[in-house]
Amino acid sequence: MGLTKTEIFTNSQNRIAAFAKALGHPARVAILQQLFKTDSCICGDLVEEIGLAQPTISQHLRELKALGLIQGSIEGTRVCYCIDKENWTLMKELIVTFLDQDIPAQEGCC
């Protein structure tokens, strides 16, 4: 498989693609929805709420945290997670701008 050559794309294009990849897995969508629903930091309830194994949840949390959509803080032996509001807002702005493009009226195309 070839290299992705991300350096030839704009920062905005790379960020949109990374956000889309993060949202491209239903477990990560479920984790984000649970964090919004709870509206506070969640420490250990995600396994019970989502129904996946702890290592699987941890892997998805790492992906979301690396992207900056969530943040975690250590409380004793547990890591508690919540939505990173600044990066969530940035993601929304980038994706809305991308999706809000209008398709120009073209004759003779397809």
Side-chain angles (χ1 to χ4, degrees), residues 1 4-7 16-17 30-31 35-36 58 64-65 71 79 93-94 96 101:
M1 184 171 236
T4 59
K5 297 187 180 185
T6 57
E7 69 278 355
I16 291 169
I31 289 168
L35 290 172
F36 274 112
S58 293
L64 292 169
K65 187 174 180 190
Q71 51 188 327
V79 179
E93 290 170 358
L94 286 171
V96 165
Q101 300 176 82

Side-chain angles (χ1 to χ4, degrees), residues 21 37 61 77 84:
K21 182 179 177 184
K37 182 176 148 185
L61 288 168
T77 59
D84 184 313

Side-chain angles (χ1 to χ4, degrees), residues 39 69 71 83-90:
D39 195 28
L69 290 178
Q71 51 188 327
I83 299 292
D84 184 313
K85 292 177 183 173
E86 184 177 323
N87 282 329
W88 184 262
T89 301
L90 171 65

Side-chain angles (χ1 to χ4, degrees), residues 2-98:
L3 298 175
T4 59
K5 297 187 180 185
T6 57
E7 69 278 355
I8 68 171
F9 302 105
T10 67
N11 185 43
S12 177
Q13 290 166 333
N14 283 307
R15 296 289 306 261
I16 291 169
F19 289 135
K21 182 179 177 184
L23 296 175
H25 195 290
R28 291 191 284 270
V29 172
I31 289 168
L32 290 167
Q33 287 176 322
Q34 189 62 36
L35 290 172
F36 274 112
K37 182 176 148 185
T38 305
D39 195 28
S40 65
C41 287
I42 294 182
C43 297
D45 302 339
L46 288 171
V47 172
E48 295 170 18
E49 292 294 329
I50 296 175
L52 295 173
Q54 179 61 53
T56 304
I57 295 290
S58 293
Q59 177 186 358
H60 290 300
L61 288 168
R62 273 193 302 276
E63 292 285 329
L64 292 169
K65 187 174 180 190
L67 189 55
L69 290 178
I70 65 172
Q71 51 188 327
S73 61
I74 298 172
E75 293 185 11
T77 59
R78 303 187 304 178
V79 179
C80 298
Y81 294 96
C82 61
I83 299 292
D84 184 313
K85 292 177 183 173
E86 184 177 323
N87 282 329
W88 184 262
T89 301
L90 171 65
M91 179 192 69
K92 284 181 11 180
E93 290 170 358
L94 286 171
I95 291 178
V96 165
T97 300
F98 174 69

